[in-house]
Amino acid sequence: ADQAIQQQIADICISLQAKDYLQLPERIDNIIHVRLNAKEQAAYEKFEREMLLEVDEATLDAGSAAVLSGKLLQFCNGAVYDSDKHAVEVHGEKLEAFKEIVEGSQGKPILVFYNFQHDKSRIIKCLPKGLRVAELKGPGVISQWNERKIDVLLAHPASAAYGLNLQAGGNIIVWFGLNWSLELYQQANARLHRQGQTDNVIIHHLIVSGGMDEDVMAALQNKQVTQDSLLAALKARIAKVKGET
């Protein structure tokens, strides 16, 4: 019945998607390649090699892949949880790159998406005193952000729900750490890049060269962020490590 009705009105109706009629400002994606120094790079390679050699790619499943990927992404961000759940700092390169973005923004508000809890605490600690820093929690913080009363707003992508309007508060996003969820990535970016935004939206991605970050970024860009792509990326790294040993 629905199909018959659609056929009857086809000559007088057109179907539009939001992107066809909403005039959005430009979205500018910027990948910032974070390079570890020689000592840090060697430490990452050793950590990755040891982690990957413990895994048999033939029996790698979604659960173990998520844990393994999480460990490698933690290292890329600069700290790794030990067996006692304590964050052990391994490098500060992403924090330095982030501070450069803050300095270069010339006082413009910044929305920062982090992946792990230790990311959040380390980011807060590294920021210059005097900046108004808040975490995305509750309507009061949202109002303050949209009134331009917050300089740096920290949020986990999972907290940036559909329909959350943050576009009045700024136009700069920084992804301090990525995760394997295209849905969370897209909806998080849409908090600023949406109807009502008056400025071009700049989205910075901090990506450790040669690290697991690169695999996630590539999958996000190709919109192929699935369990299969995660497994394929890890299996490729395992094969490479085993080929070098």
Side-chain angles (χ1 to χ4, degrees):
D2 288 344
Q3 188 175 1
I5 293 171
Q6 288 173 9
Q7 289 175 345
Q8 290 292 322
I9 64 174
D11 60 332
I12 59 172
C13 293
I14 59 173
S15 177
L16 292 176
Q17 295 181 332
K19 65 181 180 180
D20 297 323
Y21 60 85
L22 294 181
Q23 294 297 314
L24 290 177
E26 185 179 354
R27 167 178 160 171
I28 302 165
D29 286 84
N30 181 34
I31 296 178
I32 298 173
H33 298 280
V34 178
R35 302 193 182 278
L36 307 182
N37 64 34
K39 183 179 179 181
E40 294 161 348
Q41 182 65 32
Y44 176 81
E45 290 173 0
K46 180 175 183 291
F47 180 78
E48 184 179 65
R49 189 183 309 111
E50 290 174 352
M51 292 291 296
L52 295 177
L53 287 176
E54 290 179 6
V55 180
D56 179 359
E57 67 267 33
T59 61
L60 192 65
D61 60 20
S64 58
V67 172
L68 178 54
S69 172
K71 286 286 188 183
L72 298 178
L73 290 173
Q74 283 182 51
F75 198 111
C76 288
N77 290 0
V80 180
Y81 287 119
D82 63 16
S83 57
D84 296 321
K85 302 296 183 183
H86 295 136
V88 179
E89 190 156 4
V90 288
H91 70 80
E93 303 302 338
K94 272 200 181 183
L95 291 176
E96 291 302 316
F98 175 65
K99 286 193 287 186
E100 288 184 14
I101 294 173
V102 173
E103 291 170 5
S105 69
Q106 299 180 329
K108 286 189 175 183
I110 299 174
L111 174 58
V112 185
F113 290 113
Y114 63 88
N115 197 5
F116 305 102
Q117 288 299 310
H118 59 57
D119 296 340
K120 180 179 67 176
S121 57
R122 291 170 62 241
I123 290 169
I124 292 172
K125 188 176 179 180
C126 87
L127 287 169
K129 290 183 179 179
L131 285 183
R132 298 167 298 180
V133 181
E135 185 179 354
L136 184 57
K137 284 184 177 179
V141 173
I142 294 171
S143 297
Q144 286 183 310
W145 166 260
N146 282 325
E147 292 166 7
R148 303 276 176 138
K149 294 179 179 177
I150 294 174
D151 298 310
V152 177
L153 180 61
L154 292 153
H156 191 278
S159 69
Y162 286 106
L164 189 62
N165 295 312
L166 300 174
Q167 68 272 24
N171 67 309
I172 300 173
I173 291 173
V174 175
W175 282 90
F176 187 83
L178 297 167
N179 64 69
W180 287 90
S181 171
L182 180 61
E183 181 182 13
L184 288 182
Y185 176 74
Q186 290 178 328
Q187 77 172 42
N189 289 331
R191 295 318 96 215
L192 297 192
H193 191 240
R194 60 192 291 115
Q195 189 178 23
Q197 176 60 257
T198 57
D199 298 311
N200 290 337
V201 175
I202 303 169
I203 305 176
H204 299 291
H205 307 79
L206 300 179
I207 306 298
V208 168
S209 297
M212 193 73 194
D213 278 350
E214 289 188 338
D215 294 333
V216 183
M217 189 73 253
L220 289 168
Q221 287 178 317
N222 296 327
K223 296 184 179 179
Q224 294 179 340
V225 191
T226 64
Q227 286 186 353
D228 288 343
S229 58
L230 166 56
L231 289 167
L234 284 173
K235 287 179 179 180
R237 286 181 177 266
I238 291 170
K240 182 175 182 291
V241 165
K242 288 188 174 180
E244 292 173 349
T245 56

